[in-house]
Amino acid sequence: MTLSLDQFSLVYNAMSLAVAAMGAAFVYFLLARQSIHETYRIAVTISALVVLIAFYHYMRIFDSWNHAFVYDPASQTYTSGVPGTLPFNEGYRYVDWLLTVPLLLTELVLVLKLEKALTRSLLTRLIIAAVAMIVLGYPGEISPVTEKLFEFGPRGIWGILSTIPFIYILWVLFTELTKSLDRQPEAVKERVMWLRILVLATWGFYPIAYTIPMAISDPATAEVIRQVGYSVADILAKPLFGLVIVGIAMIKSEQEKAAA
């Protein structure tokens, strides 16, 4: 695969931005944790853990991307798959998602402080669905692109299987979780509504990015869109998601202080 200088730099800068965003969010969540009531501190701690895991994996992704291409000054292009390069390791993203997606769902449920039985039920179902979504998507991600969009090749079949638990997660977040919000403060209800929209908007891009190689015939263009899209979606789905969680925790901490 050959990328122009602009194409390579666009992915390079998007990954660099993700590294910076994850690192900055980790420091902020650690500092914010000190002002959170101990009841909700675990949710903010998980937010910090999520971006720390993502920071590590984006360092590996960034490094793998740099070692996958060789620059030709004459043509000002970057080429992969030539002597002196290593294959770009897409597995780093899936290992990251396998760890962070269940944690993201866990922090959302924990910060609401629901009844123990409901919390246990929601976490069990959401975590199992999240793991299934990631595990089923990986074989399709690493499969050669042999089909076009809406054709049933390996990538399409695994993508469909991965979408089933993804839809189930959205169903739980938008239906069953709504029933449990009656006792939450109005400000918390509003933030949870925005949080679910954020999940839909950011997580919804992952299956779109997954299908890009089947929809765009030019492999270089498809790869650039996919990698930039994944990086931007991760920034929104982790640091931004965590900021909303911190906001909910702060509101509920104030409520605890008032009650005391």
Side-chain angles (χ1 to χ4, degrees):
M1 180 187 302
T2 299
L3 303 179
S4 68
L5 177 60
D6 290 340
Q7 287 176 321
F8 181 88
S9 298
L10 183 59
V11 177
Y12 180 98
N13 292 333
M15 291 178 177
S16 177
L17 177 62
V19 171
M22 302 302 173
F26 174 69
V27 174
Y28 174 75
F29 293 153
L30 285 186
L31 295 176
R33 181 180 178 276
Q34 306 306 315
S35 60
I36 302 298
H37 191 276
E38 60 183 12
T39 306
Y40 311 104
R41 199 169 290 167
I42 182 63
V44 179
T45 302
I46 294 176
S47 293
L49 179 60
V50 165
V51 291
L52 177 62
I53 293 171
F55 174 79
Y56 166 76
H57 283 111
Y58 261 97
M59 290 291 291
R60 302 302 300 269
I61 293 168
F62 186 70
D63 184 64
S64 181
W65 180 260
N66 287 331
H67 285 87
F69 293 85
V70 168
Y71 180 62
D72 178 16
S75 62
Q76 292 190 326
T77 58
Y78 285 84
T79 305
S80 64
V82 298
T85 64
L86 297 173
F88 177 62
N89 190 349
E90 198 71 70
Y92 288 135
R93 288 197 186 279
Y94 277 78
V95 173
D96 176 78
W97 294 337
L98 188 62
L99 296 173
T100 57
V101 171
L103 289 173
L104 287 168
L105 295 170
T106 298
E107 65 183 273
L108 171 59
V109 175
L110 291 181
V111 78
L112 296 177
K113 194 184 176 184
L114 307 172
E115 294 83 356
K116 289 184 178 180
L118 179 59
T119 297
R120 191 180 305 111
S121 173
L122 284 172
L123 287 179
T124 300
R125 287 180 288 157
L126 288 172
I127 289 174
I128 291 175
V131 171
M133 177 179 66
I134 304 304
V135 171
L136 290 171
Y138 182 66
E141 188 72 77
I142 62 175
S143 298
V145 182
T146 58
E147 71 267 33
K148 299 296 182 182
L149 199 60
F150 304 119
E151 294 180 355
F152 289 96
R155 191 179 186 90
I157 292 173
W158 285 111
I160 291 172
L161 292 175
S162 178
T163 302
I164 295 172
F166 170 71
I167 293 174
Y168 175 76
I169 291 172
L170 292 181
W171 176 77
V172 171
L173 291 179
F174 277 84
T175 59
E176 295 198 25
L177 199 58
T178 301
K179 302 174 186 177
S180 64
L181 294 178
D182 293 339
R183 297 183 180 179
Q184 302 294 330
E186 285 300 321
V188 170
K189 291 181 183 179
E190 183 180 351
R191 287 176 182 260
V192 171
M193 291 295 293
W194 281 108
L195 201 59
R196 291 183 300 182
I197 293 173
L198 177 64
V199 169
L200 178 61
T202 56
W203 289 24
F205 188 81
Y206 293 113
I208 294 174
Y210 180 92
T211 61
I212 288 295
M214 297 185 290
I216 298 178
S217 58
D218 179 28
T221 302
E223 184 68 7
V224 170
I225 293 175
R226 192 164 62 92
Q227 294 302 330
V228 172
Y230 279 154
S231 299
V232 173
D234 276 342
I235 292 171
L236 298 176
K238 294 182 176 73
L240 184 57
F241 186 95
L243 287 173
V244 180
I245 291 294
V246 170
I248 293 174
M250 286 182 172
I251 292 171
K252 302 199 76 173
S253 295
E254 291 298 323
Q255 188 181 42
E256 293 286 341
K257 289 181 181 179

